[in-house]
Amino acid sequence: MYLCLFLFLVNRKCNIYEKLQPRMKLLYKVGFLAVIMMFFSCSVKKNSWKNRNYHAMTTWFNTLFNGQEAMDTRLRELRAAHTDDYFETLNVEPFSEFVINNSAENITYTDPFSQPIGGGMGSSLMGGEQSSGRSGFEKAEEKALKAIATHSMIINREERNKVIARAYLMLGQARYYQGKPFQAMDALQQVVRTLPFDKHVETAKYYMALSNLQSGNPSAAADILEEMYENPDLKKSMKANVAKQFAWVYVKQGELEKAIETLDQAIEYTSNKDDKARFNFIQGQLLTKLEKYDEANAKFEKSFRLKPNFEMEARSKVWQALNFDPSMHNHADYSHNMHRMIRAGAYAAYQNEFYYALGRMAEKIDSNGLAERYYTQALERPVSDPRFRGETFAAFGNLKFENAEYVYATAYYDSAVTVLPESKRRTELTRMRDDLQKVMEKYYLVKRNDSILRLTQMSPAEKETYFNDHIAALKKQDEERRKREEEEATVFQTQSRSPGFSNTFGDERGSNRFYFYSQSAKNSGETEFRRIWGAPQLRDNWRQSVSGSTITDQIAALTGTQDMANPRRYELEFYLERIPTSPAEIRGLKVARDTTEFSLGNDYFDKFENAEIATTTLEHLLETPPHAEDLTLKAYYNLYRINKESNPALAEKYKNIVLNQYPNTLYAEFILNPEADFTEANTSEVIELYNRAFDAYEEEDYLAVSELSNQAFAEHGNAEIIAKFAILNAYAEGAINGREAYIAALERVLILYEGTEEAALAQRILNRLNGVEEEIIPEPEVAQPSSTATPGRQPAQQAPAAPQQRRPGQTQQQPRQQQQRPGQQQNITPQNRMQQPGQGVNPMRRN
């Protein structure tokens, strides 16, 4: 059409019409007549054959075609950029879900009913308006709106341009892909309402189901999909789409068996080999969740044999290995299969994943040494996926955790957190690392204080001998380190002469080619970097873990030996002058050491469910012996509590000790009557005692606060208000002994009075001290002479449930166990007084 118009204009200017050949003349005449007809066929209000066909043709070729191309291109880009998370159930579509987009609408269109007759001719004929600069789904939406506004032919309430159905379909699809489900459904309903017998109606219904899923209405989506699936005339390709989305609805609802059955139908109706492989892999994942490992592995094998791509093929074999069950499968066969994959050149990029799977298999046959070797090999291979690198670190950490090597476990969990992308799994591992870090701080505080206390008991000669030996060992270590560093420097200088390194930056022969100008050098460097470091998060000091750069650094930080680079480290006096000599200081070390070891023993059981180490720790505390008789009683009672299920004979031993040596205590009563409630209502005497303690606190007489609290614990241990004494005494404890004692006292409040407002207050203060939150800590209040003046209490008869997880932080928060009965709080009254603790926590005043 445009060519004919061009020839017409040329003829007017150049007068060449007479020179054209006869056939060319005929073509010219036909084209010219076509142009004239088009001028009179562009009206959207005339229901004629030429008008309908003209607008149908221009709707597609002049508008919708470009929108469809833009949408298809964007989908291809998303599919190519998508990375599947194989540790989660794969989506039935090979790209991420299109989430709801609540941003303001930025695409406008003209009301089709406001267009003048023939209004679309100019833009259609002459190529349309200038490009808006949009691309992808926005461009598709824009083109669809333009087609509807320009070419819709609603005459006598009926759409005469059938291609408009395609325009509404494209509009709905573009909006769905942009995360605008409700607007998408408005457009898609137009296809069904306007042209109910159009060929695009089923596709529109399908996208209406997807939009309902996107908007959070799976039941409406299921109704549409079910209606479509029962249609006997539905094409096989559409039946496959309906079946896979139906299966995804079942996955979301947790009906895994139905999802597997529906995916069988999707596999039956689809002809796409890659889709078949994907659906089989998803079935394998779902069967794995149902613990049907043989059936799952059969599905993974089908996925592998369909050869979709190297990634899914490798992961199919990895998941078969992860489903290994030594009670049903032969380890040698599975191991041989994995090693065969390692040797296959096509899967060289996934060797780290195969070694990870081999390590997991070795764990299942209780060969932890072999598992460690495989995990080490996995970490030495290039990173195929940060998630696998993170899971390898986590698995290594689990091995160390099982062996009670908690410092090493902390470091491996920290490495896992560093390389994993943001996810629920990363949050779980972060919690595991943080729990272990806190326990290790307690462990090394006990070790450090033990060492210092031993030194205080040595004679001057013994101290000199001890530190002279330490200085000699330190000099030897420093000399070995110096030699090692010299050797490494020599090797570095020798290797830096190689063309692969120094020549890239320019050398003495005159080359000045910069490293980053060489694409091959850049690619090689990036590969090597990822092999060593993985994919670290963008942050300062990324090479160092949160806990320290090395295990040695972490232990040095925890034991307080970080200053070993001090220039005085070879001087005997440097160590002797640091040994405490004040009785009050030595007593403070002993108090902190005993209370921390008591808390540590309970943490081993309550956080890690390790009754053996918890028992060993508390028994070691009793051998010390503890600084106070009350702490001894608590240790005996907790040894009974910890071993009641796992070691009844040992629990009976400590039960008898409590009953025989401490018969008139709350712990003995609780052992004899675990269902009884020993909590008593407040009396005027205990209220008055609390107000005296409060007054003493306001006057900064912290020793009096501690003494009055001890009196309350001894005389009114079952009173409701006893938790208030505990939190008040914690403030005084910190003012006397400093931050560590303050933290230990607050932790005891958490343990002894769980479920009370005082325990919640203690937790908020601990969070503040640890920098977790910046919340203003509420001030304690003066007690009133009423039993209702204090907050709710923890019922004495509620025995705690055992933790549900083996390791800290997995899947859900570990439940805190009630470790003591209220009323037996141990309080310390050392002689030295220190500044009020809290670092920003408001001092307590009477309200």
Side-chain angles (χ1 to χ4, degrees):
M1 181 172 63
Y2 297 132
L3 177 61
C4 294
L5 181 59
F6 172 75
L7 293 175
F8 174 75
L9 295 174
V10 169
N11 177 55
R12 294 288 301 274
K13 293 291 184 180
C14 303
N15 197 22
I16 61 172
Y17 178 70
E18 295 297 334
K19 299 179 181 179
L20 295 175
Q21 297 296 325
R23 290 184 180 179
M24 192 63 182
K25 291 180 181 179
L26 179 61
L27 179 62
Y28 170 81
K29 292 178 180 180
V30 171
F32 180 74
L33 290 174
V35 170
I36 298 300
M37 290 177 63
M38 289 301 176
F39 271 98
F40 293 98
S41 302
C42 59
S43 173
V44 296
K45 297 300 182 182
K46 293 184 178 180
N47 185 20
S48 64
W49 178 87
K50 60 181 182 296
N51 288 57
R52 291 194 302 271
N53 282 276
Y54 164 76
H55 283 288
M57 179 178 65
T58 53
T59 300
W60 173 250
F61 288 104
N62 209 36
T63 310
L64 294 185
F65 177 82
N66 294 327
Q68 188 67 47
E69 283 292 304
M71 188 161 60
D72 291 344
T73 300
R74 182 59 183 148
L75 286 172
R76 285 194 296 270
E77 291 172 353
L78 289 175
R79 188 176 285 108
H82 173 67
T83 301
D84 283 314
D85 184 354
Y86 284 83
F87 286 89
E88 302 292 340
T89 303
L90 297 187
N91 197 324
V92 292
E93 296 283 5
F95 37 67
S96 301
E97 294 184 16
F98 299 95
V99 297
I100 291 182
N101 174 16
N102 291 319
S103 60
E105 178 67 51
N106 61 352
I107 299 177
T108 59
Y109 66 97
T110 305
D111 186 349
F113 299 103
S114 66
Q115 290 293 304
I117 298 176
M121 171 269 189
S123 61
S124 298
L125 186 61
M126 301 308 296
E129 55 194 49
Q130 293 182 352
S131 173
S132 65
R134 296 188 177 99
S135 61
F137 304 133
E138 287 190 351
K139 182 175 181 179
E141 183 179 5
E142 178 188 47
K143 291 294 184 181
L145 289 169
K146 178 182 175 183
I148 294 167
T150 306
H151 300 292
S152 178
M153 298 180 64
I154 298 180
I155 302 172
N156 295 329
R157 299 178 179 270
E158 183 179 348
E159 178 62 63
R160 303 296 179 174
N161 182 1
K162 294 185 178 182
V163 183
I164 293 298
R166 181 63 179 272
Y168 276 116
L169 175 62
M170 182 186 295
L171 179 61
Q173 291 173 316
R175 287 175 169 176
Y176 161 74
Y177 290 133
Q178 291 179 78
K180 300 185 285 189
F182 300 106
Q183 296 180 43
M185 284 187 277
D186 286 341
L188 295 166
Q189 285 171 354
Q190 291 297 322
V191 182
V192 181
R193 293 173 181 172
T194 307
L195 296 168
F197 302 106
D198 189 85
K199 62 181 179 180
H200 301 300
V201 167
E202 295 301 330
T203 305
K205 288 181 178 179
Y206 174 69
Y207 276 91
M208 284 178 66
L210 296 186
S211 298
N212 273 291
L213 281 177
Q214 190 179 70
S215 66
N217 192 357
S219 59
D223 291 342
I224 296 173
L225 293 172
E226 185 175 6
E227 179 187 350
M228 291 182 66
Y229 196 78
E230 292 175 354
N231 182 0
D233 298 327
L234 197 66
K235 293 182 179 179
K236 280 190 174 183
S237 59
M238 182 55 71
K239 274 200 172 185
N241 287 336
V242 170
K244 73 181 182 184
Q245 293 299 338
F246 228 142
W248 193 241
V249 171
Y250 286 135
V251 171
K252 292 289 189 181
Q253 295 175 342
E255 300 183 62
L256 305 188
E257 294 280 5
K258 292 183 179 180
I260 294 168
E261 294 175 5
T262 311
L263 282 172
D264 279 333
Q265 297 170 351
I267 294 169
E268 177 185 353
Y269 288 115
T270 188
S271 58
N272 187 295
K273 176 176 66 72
D274 291 345
D275 285 347
K276 287 178 181 287
R278 189 177 193 83
F279 299 156
N280 274 289
F281 193 96
I282 295 172
Q283 286 181 314
Q285 290 180 306
L286 300 179
L287 287 164
T288 298
K289 288 184 177 182
L290 295 172
E291 299 183 358
K292 299 180 178 181
Y293 299 121
D294 281 338
E295 294 180 45
N297 282 359
K299 292 293 184 179
F300 288 132
E301 184 64 24
K302 286 184 179 180
S303 179
F304 174 81
R305 293 185 181 279
L306 285 166
K307 300 295 180 184
N309 53 66
F310 291 144
E311 180 181 74
M312 187 169 287
E313 293 163 28
R315 305 286 165 71
S316 296
K317 289 298 182 181
V318 167
W319 254 256
Q320 283 181 304
L322 295 179
N323 282 342
F324 167 75
D325 185 344
S327 65
M328 298 187 298
H329 306 138
N330 184 284
H331 180 263
D333 292 341
Y334 273 68
S335 179
H336 175 73
N337 193 16
M338 278 292 94
H339 282 94
R340 186 174 59 186
M341 294 295 294
I342 290 171
R343 293 191 296 270
Y347 307 108
Y350 304 97
Q351 287 185 355
N352 64 313
E353 300 180 17
F354 300 141
Y355 280 116
Y356 165 73
L358 284 167
R360 291 286 301 276
M361 289 168 52
E363 280 193 73
K364 292 180 180 180
I365 61 171
D366 296 325
S367 181
N368 289 350
L370 180 61
E372 285 196 19
R373 289 201 295 273
Y374 282 136
Y375 291 145
T376 300
Q377 289 178 290
L379 295 175
E380 290 173 349
R381 296 303 190 275
V383 182
S384 60
D385 184 334
R387 184 69 186 264
F388 274 92
R389 174 56 60 96
E391 291 296 338
T392 304
F393 278 126
F396 228 139
N398 291 342
L399 287 178
K400 297 299 182 182
F401 182 91
E402 295 292 344
N403 293 329
E405 299 177 61
Y406 294 136
V407 174
Y408 289 89
T410 304
Y412 280 113
Y413 289 145
D414 185 59
S415 297
V417 169
T418 302
V419 300
L420 281 174
E422 288 290 344
S423 61
K424 183 170 65 177
R425 176 60 169 159
R426 188 180 182 214
T427 302
E428 293 170 359
L429 290 172
T430 301
R431 187 164 62 245
M432 294 166 70
R433 179 201 65 192
D434 293 345
D435 284 346
L436 279 170
Q437 184 69 20
K438 291 175 183 177
V439 169
M440 287 302 94
E441 289 171 0
K442 294 179 181 180
Y443 173 80
Y444 280 103
L445 185 146
V446 172
K447 297 270 288 184
R448 182 171 66 247
N449 285 15
D450 270 343
S451 300
I452 297 173
L453 291 170
R454 280 197 300 270
L455 288 171
T456 61
Q457 298 171 3
M458 291 182 182
S459 66
E462 290 174 331
K463 292 176 185 177
E464 290 186 11
T465 301
Y466 177 84
F467 284 115
N468 282 328
D469 291 342
H470 173 74
I471 291 170
L474 188 62
K475 288 179 178 179
K476 182 179 179 181
Q477 292 175 4
D478 289 348
E479 180 62 21
E480 291 175 353
R481 185 187 305 109
R482 185 187 62 78
K483 290 181 179 180
R484 186 167 60 253
E485 290 174 352
E486 288 180 354
E487 292 174 357
E488 291 174 353
T490 302
V491 172
F492 176 79
Q493 292 175 1
T494 303
Q495 292 180 345
S496 67
R497 295 292 183 181
S498 64
F501 182 85
S502 59
N503 288 354
T504 309
F505 289 89
D507 57 21
E508 64 275 6
R509 292 191 296 272
S511 172
N512 60 357
R513 182 172 176 78
F514 184 50
Y515 173 82
F516 289 101
Y517 291 164
S518 170
Q519 187 61 41
S520 62
K522 282 172 58 180
N523 293 340
S524 176
E526 289 176 4
T527 301
E528 182 67 7
F529 177 89
R530 292 183 180 278
R531 185 187 71 79
I532 297 173
W533 300 107
Q537 303 294 313
L538 182 60
R539 62 176 186 176
D540 293 337
N541 300 323
W542 56 267
R543 289 186 302 170
Q544 297 184 0
S545 72
V546 173
S547 307
S549 57
T550 65
I551 299 294
T552 304
D553 292 338
Q554 293 180 50
I555 295 176
L558 291 168
T559 54
T561 58
Q562 287 177 302
D563 59 352
M564 287 300 99
N566 192 295
R568 296 185 59 202
R569 64 188 182 278
Y570 298 152
E571 299 178 14
L572 178 62
E573 291 300 322
F574 172 67
Y575 301 100
L576 294 178
E577 65 191 22
R578 300 171 71 184
I579 300 176
T581 57
S582 166
E585 191 175 0
I586 293 173
R587 176 174 173 79
L589 288 169
K590 173 64 173 171
V591 166
R593 176 242 176 276
D594 289 348
T595 55
T596 302
E597 186 165 38
F598 174 74
S599 175
L600 178 64
N602 289 308
D603 281 348
Y604 282 136
F605 180 72
D606 294 327
K607 290 186 177 180
F608 306 152
E609 209 180 70
N610 194 327
E612 182 179 354
I613 296 181
T615 299
T616 301
T617 302
L618 292 178
E619 286 178 338
H620 181 263
L621 170 64
L622 291 169
E623 292 169 1
T624 312
H627 64 280
E629 186 68 17
D630 193 52
L631 193 61
T632 301
L633 168 59
K634 294 177 188 177
Y636 281 133
Y637 173 78
N638 278 276
L639 283 166
Y640 157 74
R641 178 182 69 90
I642 288 168
N643 292 282
K644 189 163 52 175
E645 299 294 334
S646 59
N647 193 341
L650 190 60
E652 186 69 20
K653 168 188 172 182
Y654 289 112
K655 170 185 173 181
N656 291 332
I657 290 175
V658 173
L659 296 178
N660 295 329
Q661 298 183 18
Y662 308 92
N664 299 319
T665 62
L666 183 64
Y667 295 106
E669 294 176 16
F670 185 68
I671 290 175
L672 294 173
N673 303 288
E675 301 300 322
D677 185 354
F678 299 105
T679 307
E680 300 171 353
N682 295 329
T683 64
S684 59
E685 291 81 3
V686 73
I687 294 289
E688 176 60 26
L689 191 61
Y690 177 80
N691 287 335
R692 287 170 56 195
F694 190 93
D695 290 337
Y697 179 85
E698 285 195 320
E699 296 170 2
E700 298 186 2
D701 188 355
Y702 303 122
L703 291 176
V705 172
S706 184
E707 291 172 359
L708 291 168
S709 297
N710 279 330
Q711 180 182 345
F713 297 138
E715 298 176 1
H716 307 281
N718 299 344
E720 287 182 298
I721 201 174
I722 203 69
K724 281 187 175 293
F725 277 99
I727 194 68
L728 185 64
N729 183 71
Y731 276 91
E733 181 101 10
I736 295 170
N737 279 327
R739 181 186 177 90
E740 294 301 326
Y742 188 37
I743 292 174
L746 291 170
E747 289 179 342
R748 289 198 298 271
V749 175
L750 284 176
I751 293 171
L752 296 172
Y753 305 106
E754 180 183 7
T756 65
E757 290 184 6
E758 285 72 27
L761 172 60
Q763 182 64 70
R764 292 198 297 274
I765 297 173
L766 287 169
N767 290 343
R768 176 68 182 276
L769 292 173
N770 295 326
V772 176
E773 60 184 17
E774 293 296 330
E775 181 179 341
I776 300 298
I777 306 302
E779 302 172 0
E781 57 188 23
V782 63
Q784 302 297 324
S786 169
S787 62
T788 60
T790 54
R793 52 190 167 84
Q794 179 76 9
Q797 71 271 19
Q798 290 182 359
Q804 300 301 311
Q805 304 291 334
R806 177 65 183 90
R807 301 186 180 95
Q810 288 183 340
T811 306
Q812 60 186 9
Q813 183 66 36
Q814 290 283 2
R816 180 183 295 276
Q817 291 203 1
Q818 179 182 340
Q819 299 186 22
Q820 325 286 325
R821 298 306 308 155
Q824 300 298 316
Q825 174 76 11
Q826 173 64 37
N827 296 277
I828 295 83
T829 57
Q831 301 303 314
N832 60 316
R833 297 176 58 176
M834 300 182 64
Q835 182 181 356
Q836 164 71 16
Q839 298 184 359
V841 177
N842 288 345
M844 299 195 302
R845 298 184 299 274
R846 188 191 305 271
N847 288 341

